[in-house]
Amino acid sequence: MEARANPSPRTRLHSTLAAGRCAVNAWLSIPSSYVAEGMAHQGFDSVTVDLQHGMIGYEAAIAMLQGVTAGNATPMVRVDRNDPSAIMHLLDAGAWGVICPMIANQEDAERFVSACRY
């Protein structure tokens, strides 16, 4: 099945993917809004705040997402588990995309997508 490009990209990440290019993502695992903002100005298509393996909690993630939004990169998060409540909170906090670990089957995937579309 061929992927169809978005006719009106909304973010740098959308533009990159719609043009058929590979996206370049920065990964943040240390809680620092200053570093998050700096990374968002370095030319990355997206910047991911890692709440799974890093030392970042919800409050730090909010400030980091604000920092990423100040740049040109798309703010993303990786959650620590497939928890709809946590996913919704991070979307409310400013994440434009969510990476979810531990998706093992169709039911897990449907639960994750449902949380992202609340």
Side-chain angles (χ1 to χ4, degrees):
M1 185 167 131
E2 181 178 308
R4 294 182 356 179
N6 183 347
S8 57
R10 298 170 297 200
T11 68
R12 180 183 187 127
L13 181 59
H14 283 113
S15 298
T16 299
L17 296 174
R21 297 188 312 267
C22 292
V24 179
N25 177 66
W27 209 261
L28 303 174
S29 59
I30 297 173
S32 171
S33 60
Y34 181 74
V35 171
E37 184 174 348
M39 294 296 282
H41 288 284
Q42 298 306 310
F44 293 101
D45 299 302
S46 57
V47 174
T48 299
V49 177
D50 185 4
L51 286 90
Q52 183 185 17
H53 293 297
M55 302 178 286
I56 301 168
Y58 178 71
E59 285 75 19
I62 292 172
M64 293 174 74
L65 290 166
Q66 289 171 334
V68 173
T69 304
N72 295 322
T74 301
M76 306 271 295
V77 293
R78 177 167 69 172
V79 294
D80 63 341
R81 63 191 179 285
N82 193 0
D83 175 8
S85 178
I87 292 166
M88 289 181 227
H89 277 106
L90 288 161
L91 289 168
D92 285 343
W96 292 10
V98 181
I99 299 167
C100 187
M102 313 294 270
I103 301 293
N105 54 46
Q106 182 175 338
E107 182 181 328
D108 290 346
E110 289 171 352
R111 183 170 174 228
F112 169 57
V113 170
S114 178
C116 292
R117 290 186 175 162
Y118 76 99

